[in-house]
Amino acid sequence: MRKLLLLAIVGLLAQLVDGSLGMAYGVTTTTLLLAIGTNPVAASATVHLAEIGTTLVSGASHWRFGNVDWPVVLKIGAPGAVGAFAGATFLASLDTSTAKPLMSGILLALGLYVLVRFTFKGLRKDRLGTPLRKRFLTPLGLFGGFVDATGGGGWGPVGTPAILASGRLEPRKVIGSIDTSEFLVSVAASIGFLAALGSQGINFSWVAMLFVGGAIAAPIAAWIVRTIPPRILGSLVGGVIVLTNARTIIGKDGLALDTGATWVVYALVWVAWISAVLYSLRAHRVEVAAEVAAESAGSPEAERKLVGDPA
């Protein structure tokens, strides 16, 4: 019962982050399942089955708050489903001893990308309104879907930063569209896992608790997506993913480092993570101050002061 409650809390927190940032539900929950000893294929299958429900609720919530661009959902979601089915089939064919470090390596790379991307780049907001084309979204969807199924997560970390970096769609619609299209990816990945393995190794009570937590958080996340600072949240989430998956990479299933070297690696990760969060916090404050100054400079009161009008 204690483990089920923990899973529900993790599902809630992961979906709160995912719905606000457009990523991290799958990566976060898969990382937890691997950490408690679940085999990689069962972990990814469990997460994707839970995501069928959470992405449906999340998509409906984002749609209600006007955060969804439906042409983008269809253009990236359909190829994403194809990539996810292929990724699920590929992962199911691997031996567990090979799959675990492979999945942790993918998750670690995604975590590093999220950490670096949001710490140093923030969000690009120029070029808004320029159409996103199929020749960009189709390969992005195929790659994102494949990584998502093989890594237990990755649709958001691949798709969200790529579309944000294009600067062609406002951030809230990027997040809403990625979350909504993930429903197609989750369905396709789940079909792939069930076709290859049946229900072997899947604990459906875990699926249910992850779904319950995620379903509770989804409407809240869709509501706060306009106000939460994604730069800071991205640094926090990226650090969690890196720290957790570094454990597998440097442990007995990976590099098998000795105790001294292991603690050195952990210390370096912690220092880098704390530094990244502090940097993001400072950068966010600078951005807010600059926006406030720009708004003030354009206000009637500021203009009157500039021309010396006492009125």
Side-chain angles (χ1 to χ4, degrees):
M1 185 63 188
R2 193 173 181 179
K3 184 178 288 186
L4 292 177
L5 182 59
L6 175 62
L7 286 168
I9 293 172
V10 169
L12 187 150
L13 294 175
Q15 183 58 46
L16 190 63
V17 173
D18 187 274
S20 303
L21 189 60
M23 65 180 72
Y25 180 88
V27 177
T28 304
T29 51
T30 301
T31 294
L32 171 72
L33 292 178
L34 288 177
I36 63 177
T38 309
N39 79 70
V41 180
S44 188
T46 299
V47 169
H48 282 94
L49 284 168
E51 280 186 319
I52 292 176
T54 59
T55 54
L56 185 62
V57 176
S58 181
S61 301
H62 278 296
W63 168 72
R64 183 179 179 183
F65 286 102
N67 299 335
V68 178
D69 186 308
W70 288 107
V72 171
V73 170
L74 296 175
K75 289 177 184 177
I76 196 171
V82 175
F85 184 86
T89 305
F90 172 74
L91 183 63
S93 67
L94 293 179
D95 180 75
T96 301
S97 61
T98 303
K100 188 172 183 179
L102 173 64
M103 181 180 286
S104 291
I106 293 173
L107 293 172
L108 179 65
L110 290 171
L112 284 170
Y113 181 79
V114 172
L115 182 65
V116 173
R117 176 68 178 83
F118 282 89
T119 299
F120 295 106
K121 296 289 186 180
L123 295 173
R124 184 175 181 177
K125 298 180 180 178
D126 60 341
R127 297 197 297 177
L128 288 176
T130 306
L132 287 158
R133 300 181 179 179
K134 281 186 178 181
R135 65 186 182 187
F136 169 67
L137 293 176
T138 297
L140 180 65
L142 285 168
F143 178 70
F146 186 86
V147 170
D148 188 84
T150 54
W155 179 250
V158 171
T160 300
I163 299 178
L164 283 174
S166 74
R168 299 187 178 193
L169 193 64
E170 58 183 302
R172 68 183 181 89
K173 288 198 173 183
V174 174
I175 292 168
S177 300
I178 286 293
D179 273 8
T180 303
S181 62
E182 193 170 10
F183 171 75
L184 300 175
V185 174
S186 300
V187 170
S190 297
I191 292 173
F193 284 121
L194 292 173
L197 299 173
S199 59
Q200 181 182 354
I202 300 174
N203 189 323
F204 286 95
S205 62
W206 292 12
V207 173
M209 296 310 290
L210 288 173
F211 164 69
V212 168
I216 293 171
I220 303 171
W223 177 67
I224 67 173
V225 70
R226 301 186 185 197
T227 58
I228 197 167
R231 184 167 195 160
I232 298 170
L233 196 55
S235 296
L236 287 168
V237 172
V240 170
I241 296 166
V242 170
L243 182 65
T244 308
N245 287 285
R247 175 174 172 267
T248 300
I249 298 298
I250 66 179
K252 63 180 181 179
D253 293 320
L255 300 176
L257 299 182
D258 59 41
T259 303
T262 297
W263 281 109
V264 169
V265 172
Y266 280 146
L268 291 174
V269 172
W270 272 101
V271 170
W273 184 18
I274 294 171
S275 300
V277 172
L278 292 175
Y279 183 93
S280 293
L281 180 60
R282 184 176 65 178
H284 173 67
R285 288 176 175 172
V286 170
E287 289 173 356
V288 171
E291 290 174 2
V292 171
E295 290 176 2
S296 299
S299 67
E301 292 81 4
E303 291 176 0
R304 282 198 296 268
K305 290 179 180 179
L306 288 173
V307 298
D309 185 353

